[in-house]
Amino acid sequence: MPQIALVTGATSGFGQSIARRFVAEGWSVIVTGRRKDRLDELVAELGGAAQAYGLCFDIRDEEATRQALASLPPVFQGVDALVNNAGLALGTGTADTCDLAEWRTMIDTNINGLVTITRLMLDGLIARRGLVVNLASIASNWPYPGGNVYGGTKAFVRQFSLGLRSDLSSRGVRVTSIEPGLSESEFTLVRTGGDKAAYDKLYQGASPLQPKDIAETVYWVASLPAHVNINSIEIMPVSQSWAPFQIHRETTAQPER
């Protein structure tokens, strides 16, 4: 029987490439997302029902997540690797200009959705001595203007991964946090509200990471021997490095006290 990976957020970008990479190595995959048309296309591309299975639901909805997992046919119920890829960023403004609803959407998706599906699948992963791969970000470690809540959610993902690692080390379950830097995908169009000019400007001349690069990294982690755990990987394009420390310089006189 082939091993099975469940990849969340598989309707675009990293998730699609990760699913393709696992199938190329003989795994079966369960792909999840909110866009049924894209899921159906991906399942067909990956070989149909014999190789892939689509679950269409909103990961922010606990009951929908429970029902989706419960609906898996027997042949897809023994998951060996959970890849928590579903996530998003909304907005690029400073904290005082941000939309509170967008903050809550990021928290509900990047934190609540991730911990819900992880907890619901944990007993099975323990039974199979499986693997959890969580997609965090370099924003887990390195703040930047406009990162605010998005960076906070990814810092949670990184720390949650380390906590899982600590709790599960005696149960044979491997846990990895993957923390990409500048990466070209639909993620940025979502963040900017579909602003293609901003998308093009961000990536121009930068040779950013591509979804295939992240897929290769995730599969490498999964392909290692069962006694080897990669705790975290911070991965950037060669063109990206750490920015100078931010310094605000006063341009007006200080108010009198």
Side-chain angles (χ1 to χ4, degrees):
M1 291 290 291
Q3 291 181 289
I4 299 172
L6 188 152
V7 183
T8 68
T11 54
S12 65
F14 292 176
Q16 276 188 350
S17 288
I18 291 166
R20 290 172 180 142
R21 186 69 181 89
F22 274 83
V23 168
E25 296 295 336
W27 288 56
S28 294
V29 294
I30 302 160
V31 288
T32 86
R34 292 180 296 165
R35 293 172 285 191
K36 188 176 186 304
D37 56 339
R38 290 199 182 188
L39 282 178
D40 290 345
E41 289 175 6
L42 182 60
V43 168
E45 174 197 329
L46 296 176
Q51 197 77 41
Y53 193 87
L55 291 177
C56 186
F57 66 96
D58 188 336
I59 201 165
R60 296 173 297 176
D61 184 332
E62 179 181 341
E63 186 55 34
T65 303
R66 288 181 180 274
Q67 290 180 9
L69 294 177
S71 74
L72 284 170
V75 70
F76 280 98
Q77 287 182 358
V79 174
D80 300 282
L82 168 63
V83 182
N84 279 317
N85 166 72
L88 79 169
L90 295 172
T92 58
T94 57
D96 57 306
T97 66
C98 286
D99 183 337
L100 185 57
E102 291 185 338
W103 279 7
R104 288 179 176 142
T105 298
M106 286 187 278
I107 292 167
D108 286 344
T109 306
N110 301 354
I111 297 178
N112 295 337
L114 182 145
V115 300
T116 297
I117 196 166
T118 301
R119 182 62 190 92
L120 293 177
M121 296 188 65
L122 211 49
D123 290 346
L125 289 165
I126 290 171
R128 297 179 71 84
R129 301 176 73 84
L131 166 70
V132 179
V133 177
N134 292 326
L135 268 294
S137 167
I138 60 168
S140 305
N141 301 311
W142 309 105
Y144 57 88
N148 44 70
V149 166
Y150 172 71
T153 64
K154 291 303 183 175
F156 174 90
V157 172
R158 183 178 194 278
Q159 192 64 27
F160 178 63
S161 301
L162 295 175
L164 282 178
R165 169 87 177 90
S166 181
D167 286 347
L168 300 175
S169 60
S170 64
R171 313 300 292 276
V173 176
R174 297 181 289 156
V175 183
T176 299
S177 170
I178 294 183
E179 299 150 17
L182 184 67
S183 306
E184 185 173 12
S185 76
E186 192 175 306
F187 173 94
T188 299
L189 284 176
V190 172
R191 184 170 201 171
T192 61
D195 188 338
K196 186 62 164 56
Y199 177 98
D200 292 340
K201 182 179 179 180
L202 176 64
Y203 298 122
Q204 185 177 10
S207 298
L209 298 173
Q210 298 296 317
K212 287 183 178 179
D213 301 321
I214 305 306
E216 190 66 34
T217 305
V218 172
Y219 181 73
W220 172 73
V221 167
S223 69
L224 293 171
H227 70 282
V228 177
N229 194 94
I230 304 299
N231 297 328
S232 62
I233 300 176
E234 187 176 272
I235 175 173
M236 297 179 180
V238 173
S239 64
Q240 185 179 36
S241 187
W242 300 274
F245 281 113
Q246 181 178 336
I247 300 173
H248 171 70
R249 302 186 188 280
E250 294 289 346
T251 56
T252 59
Q254 292 286 337
E256 294 184 3
R257 297 184 184 279

